[in-house]
Structure formats: C-alpha cells, structure tokens
Amino acid sequence: MPPFKDEHILIIAPGSQTTLAQLGLPESFTPASHRFPTRMFPAPDGKTYEPYKIRSRKKEPVINGADVEMGGTGEPKEGDDQELVELPEDDEGAIYPLKEGRIDNMPAFFAFLHHVHNTLSPTLHTPIMLIAQPSWTAKNHEDITAFVFEKFKTPALCIMDSALATSYAFGIANSTIIDVGYEKIDVTAVTDFQISGRGTVPHSGGEAMTKRLVNLLKSKNFTREMAEQLKRSPICEILPPGTPLPGTDAKEEVISNPAAAASTGATSSGPSVRITEPPQIPILDEVADDDEAFDDKQIEDDGVLDVASIVTSGKIQEVLARREKEKAEKEKLKAARKEKRDAEKAEAAAAAARPARLPNSKRPRAIFHYEEIIKDAPDAKRQKTPEPVPAMAANGETAVTGESKPVDAAPAVPEAAPAPVEDEAARREQQKAARKEERRRNREDENPERIRRDIEIGTERFLAADEAYLDAVADTIYRTILSVDDISKRQDAWDALVICGLGSKVRGFKEALLTTLNNRYLVSPSSATMFMSELPSNLATPSGTGSQTPNASFSSTPHAPPTASAVNPLLLAATTASNPALNPNLSVTSYSGTHSHSSHSQSPTSIKVASPPSYFPEWKQYEEAVFLGSQVAAKVIFVVDQGLSKGFLSRVEFNEEGPTAIHQVGLVY
C-alpha cells in the first residue's frame, strides 16, 4: 500500500447536534473546516433520506418572448406547475440519528455519513478517521466498518474513541475527560492513553440547562430559542455552590454601640469586633462652614483703628482706601472659597448618582439582548422597513411620521452638540455605548431578517445548573475515577481534569464544578497521619524511599492484636487501609513491598484542571479539543506510523476477516 499523505486524510467527528469534518491535515492544526448539522429529512418517496428539507411549491410563470408574440399566456402546462425546492435553514420534521450520543437511527446515520463524504469529495486513496461516541456498541462499530468499506471504497479506516482523542489533544497519558454534550455528560478515566473507567450522566448536558431556563422564565413567555440564546449570553452565569444570589444576601446592621460606630466605624464594641471601616471624621461641608464663620469673624473683628494717629498724620484718605482694598480682597477670597466648595459638592453628588459598575454576579437584574429571526415564505423576500423621518408639527415641535420621504417644508434642524463630560469614565462609557449601537445597526443592515429585543432578566439567569445538577456530575466523576484498577493512577486522574464539550462553555460552569468537587471529595494531605499518634509504638516507620518497606527493627512475626486501650480498631483499620504494613493484624510476608503509592485510594489530596497546550496558535478555546486530538492521532497513525502498530484497519484485512476485525485495531478500547 502506498503511503498516505496529509492532504488525503478525511476526519469525521459526529455529535448529537453538530458534526465536525475536514479533508486534509494542515501544517498547523486548526479547528474543523466544515460543520454539519447532524440531521436528515425523509425523502418524498418515504424510503430514503435527504440532507435538507424538500418542499413542493408552485412554479413562477416564465414568459417566453416567442410565446408572447404568438399570443401565448406564458403559463406552464397542466401537470407541470409544481417544483421541489430545498430549504437548508428549515429544521421542521428533521430526524436526528444520534440521541444522547448513541445511534438511534442507523439508516439515517449512514445517509448522513454519505452526505458528508459527498460534500467533501475525497479521492479514492483517502483513509478515514471516525470519532466514536462512548455509547456506541461493538455491533455499531461493525456495521459502520462494513458500510464505510463497501460504500466509500476507502483504503483504511480508524475508529477512535472521543475521550482518547481529547487526551491526545492535551498530550496527557493519565487524565479524566468530562465531555459536556447536548443531552448527556460522559466521564472517562484514561490511564496510559487507555480507557480504564466510564461514567455517564443521562438527561443532562447543555439541553438540560436550556430546559431549566425555559421553566424558570415561563412568566416572561420564554421559548426554547430564547432560553438557548440566554444560556450563551454573558449574563447567564453559574455561581459556585454556597454563593448567595445578588439581592438576597443584604442584611440590615443593628448598631448596638453608637459611640463605636461614630469613632471607629464598627456597629458594636468588644474584643471580637473587627474594624472594617476607617474612623468617621467631619465631612467637608462641616469643616468648610466652620472656616467660613471664622473668616467672617476675622473680617469683622480686625482690630481697633488708632484714630488719633491717623488724624495727626494727615493721611486719613490713604488709610481708609487701604482699609477698603483689604476688605475687598477678603470678600473676593471668601467668594472663591465658596465657589470651590460648591463645585466639590456638585462633583460628589454626581459621583454618588452615577451607577457603579458591578460584576454580573453582583447584579440582581441585567438586560438580555434577544435576536429573533423572521421566517418568511420560501418564495418571498423580506423588504426592509423604512425608518421614520422627523417632521415639524404644527406647534413647532419635532414629530415622527411613518412616511419614507422627507418633508420639504421641514428644514433640517442641526443636532445640538452633546454637553461636555468632565468625568473620563463617563466619557468612555458614552463612547462604548455609541460603538455598541453602531455595531447593532450594522448587524440589522446586514441581516434585515433579525429583530432585536431587550428583555430584563432577574436572578433566574444564575440557576441554569443548580446544586443537584453539579452534585450528579461530581458523583459520576468520583465513581469513575474510583473504578480505575491501578490505584497508583487515581491521583493522577484527579490532577488532570479535562472539561470539554460545547455545554461547558456556559459562563462559570467549570469553576462551579471544580468547587463542588473540592467541597465534596478533597481531603487534606495531612489526613493520612491524623490518627498516627494512636498507633502502637512498636510499629516501624516506612522508609523514606517511597517503597514503604518496614525497616530492620520490625519483627518478622505477626504482632499480637492490640488491646482496646492501646488503639481504636476502627481508626486503625481506616488509617492503614492504604498502608498494610502498618496494620499489626497483618503478616509482613503477605504485604508486597513493590507498591509505592502513598496517597489515599478513595479520596484525592488535590484536584486540578489540566492546562491546554500552547503550541497550537489556531486554537483559542478547547471545548472542541476532540477534533484537535483526532488530527494529532490521524497524523501519527496514518502518516508517521503507516500501520505498523495496527492503528487502522486496511482494506485487505477487511476483505480477509470481515467487519469484526475492527475490534483488533483502532483506538476504541
């Protein structure tokens, strides 16, 4: 068989709602070049399937010039007045072959694969990499293998598990893949790039969040499409467990010690009271009033004039003029101070009136921008609604009319220039709002079929996934990792959680899930030795090499069972579960010194999320990391390895052994 080339490799990654596909491997791996909705429609004959909805409509009359000259009507002949048209955007009556990841309609799924293959049009010498869902059965793999080889005439086929593909993308041998899909969440424990544990949370995923939002917002007549847009918007957020909803955590403070509140800002006094605010001092207005009174007094009581000296000197006019000048300067200084105080007071009032920009999790209400798509008839075109034109009413005020042409009698009135904004933050907010409004108008001009509506949403936007939802996912993760046979790899699986899938893109989902796992299952590293002080003193301490082999001071004969006063047997059993050498009731000869894992096998001592790779510049978000991993695996299996490690099933092997040979190759198990 000639070697495969990068440009001849076809990758197909089916999903319940969207299928990713690409022909050829680029030099730097990129996201999928093609996205297909995973759906088919019954054909008019009722036996086959079509990729788009087909509807019959009446033909438009075509006027032929020669026919008109001869007096013809230009109308179609009888029985030829109907035509079939495809509606790519219409999903009414669609059949989705995959339900919760499993293949629910195999003929429709085969028709869908045929549609993808025909769209990409690969050559005959094109191997196929097909990503399998965890719920696919062995019979599904055999049926797909037979269909691909017989229908597409491909030279090689590799069926790879989606969780393994994700682990290839991150390059982590031991990990836990949490795939948040459309209607389910798959949890897979991977050790040494092999599947060692499975778990599924049914009736969950992104669709469960959408349905919950619909139920919570019934009073606002929310549809599924509205809830789906809300879920994807930045105002929808999943808060970590225990976080109070905004508007529900405000508690009135009862000031039990007014003196303490006045001096230190504390609401009460005592040794346990913490001062969280600076001491209260007289405000600016009070200080300013005192200064003003002092100035007035100073002006009024400026001393006693020596009248006799002034008269004898003969400079009465000069002294009085100087006196009036000093008084005028003091009055001017007083007015300047008052003007400055008034300006500072106005600025403080404006700052207090300006709404503070709180984070989304602190705002009890937010505005949701919903874009509604107007669906017209297939043979009709939507006309853009003309914008209203301002006209001058009889009373001289501007009135809005529905006419689409300007009124000649109403001259254009120049718009008033906006008032200058002194505050820089307010100016930036105005500029940001203007740019946002401009982008909105551009979108409306480009997509006249979309209508935007602004809807106020309360705290319901924080309840897309409640604590019961997160607890179910966390419990499945715990049980899946617990099912790993190699106890030494369980902690590695906890330290490399990969949360992927489009359902995980909801804001705050990953953080809330990690918080739930930490609250429920994380134990302190020192918990393993919390009861060690109660162990018998004649037990040896494990060596520091990690082998935990008892040292020479430990007797080879079994110890007698300790008395009840020496150690609690329940605590001893719990403490020595992972360290059998410390249990005096067990013989040393029955303990294998080759086991070197020292952490708990039941609960993790640390829980971490795996860091995505940084050497793929085209990938910014890794919710669809399964496709990145499929490209990496296809490069290794088809190009680098060339079948030496039995990574794919060749056509020769299929002809000799049949579709069951797929179980002997590939990366499924």
Side-chain angles (χ1 to χ4, degrees), residues 392-595:
M392 298 300 295
N395 57 1
E397 297 180 356
T398 303
V400 178
T401 65
E403 299 180 4
S404 58
K405 60 180 181 179
V407 182
D408 298 336
V413 179
E415 297 182 357
V421 182
E422 296 182 359
D423 188 71
E424 185 65 24
R427 184 185 296 108
R428 288 196 298 267
E429 289 297 326
Q430 288 184 357
Q431 295 175 354
K432 183 178 179 181
R435 290 193 299 268
K436 188 175 182 180
E437 180 66 18
E438 183 179 359
R439 289 194 299 267
R440 183 186 68 83
R441 291 182 178 180
N442 292 337
R443 287 197 303 267
E444 290 182 353
D445 293 340
E446 297 175 358
N447 303 292
E449 71 280 0
R450 293 180 179 267
I451 296 180
R452 176 173 168 175
R453 295 166 50 192
D454 293 342
I455 306 173
E456 189 179 47
I457 306 297
T459 56
E460 298 90 353
R461 68 187 193 275
F462 300 116
L463 304 175
D466 56 0
E467 292 190 11
Y469 183 103
L470 297 173
D471 287 344
V473 180
D475 181 71
T476 304
I477 296 173
Y478 175 75
R479 295 179 181 273
T480 301
I481 298 180
L482 199 63
S483 65
V484 176
D485 294 333
D486 191 349
I487 299 178
S488 62
K489 299 296 179 63
R490 292 180 183 176
Q491 183 58 50
D492 295 338
W494 281 111
D495 288 337
L497 301 181
V498 178
I499 306 176
C500 58
L502 294 181
S504 65
K505 295 183 68 175
V506 180
R507 184 177 182 181
F509 176 83
K510 298 178 182 179
E511 293 78 5
L513 179 58
L514 188 62
T515 302
T516 303
L517 290 171
N518 287 329
N519 294 342
R520 294 192 59 178
Y521 304 112
L522 185 64
V523 297
S524 173
S526 61
S527 299
T529 58
M530 62 188 305
F531 299 120
M532 285 298 180
S533 59
E534 297 189 19
L535 292 178
S537 58
N538 59 349
L539 286 179
T541 303
S543 61
T545 60
S547 62
Q548 296 185 353
T549 304
N551 54 27
S553 64
F554 187 74
S555 174
S556 61
T557 59
H559 287 276
T563 61
S565 60
V567 64
N568 187 330
L570 295 179
L571 296 181
L572 178 63
T575 307
T576 60
S578 59
N579 300 324
L582 300 179
N583 194 335
N585 299 324
L586 297 178
S587 173
V588 176
T589 57
S590 63
Y591 169 68
S592 175
T594 60
H595 181 60

Side-chain angles (χ1 to χ4, degrees), residues 257-339:
N257 191 335
S263 60
T264 64
T267 57
S268 60
S269 60
S272 61
V273 176
R274 296 180 59 189
I275 299 176
T276 58
E277 296 181 359
Q280 298 181 1
I281 60 176
I283 60 177
L284 180 63
D285 294 341
E286 299 174 355
V287 177
D289 293 341
D290 295 341
D291 292 341
E292 183 177 354
F294 176 77
D295 292 341
D296 294 341
K297 185 176 181 181
Q298 185 179 14
I299 292 174
E300 293 177 359
D301 303 333
D302 197 31
V304 179
L305 295 176
D306 190 353
V307 179
S309 301
I310 296 175
V311 172
T312 55
S313 63
K315 299 180 180 180
I316 299 176
Q317 299 297 332
E318 295 179 3
V319 171
L320 293 178
R322 186 171 63 252
R323 176 72 176 179
E324 291 295 332
K325 183 178 179 181
E326 293 176 356
K327 186 176 180 181
E329 291 178 354
K330 292 179 180 179
E331 290 290 341
K332 186 177 180 181
L333 179 61
K334 176 182 175 182
R337 289 180 177 178
K338 186 176 183 302
E339 183 180 356

Side-chain angles (χ1 to χ4, degrees), residues 215-252:
N215 294 332
L216 292 172
L217 297 169
K218 280 184 178 180
S219 60
K220 297 182 180 293
N221 299 323
F222 256 57
T223 62
R224 186 198 172 280
E225 177 61 26
M226 297 172 69
E228 184 68 21
Q229 288 192 26
L230 174 61
K231 183 185 69 175
R232 299 180 181 181
S233 67
I235 69 171
C236 180
E237 184 176 358
I238 299 176
L239 303 179
T243 304
L245 296 177
T248 60
D249 58 339
K251 298 180 180 179
E252 297 183 357

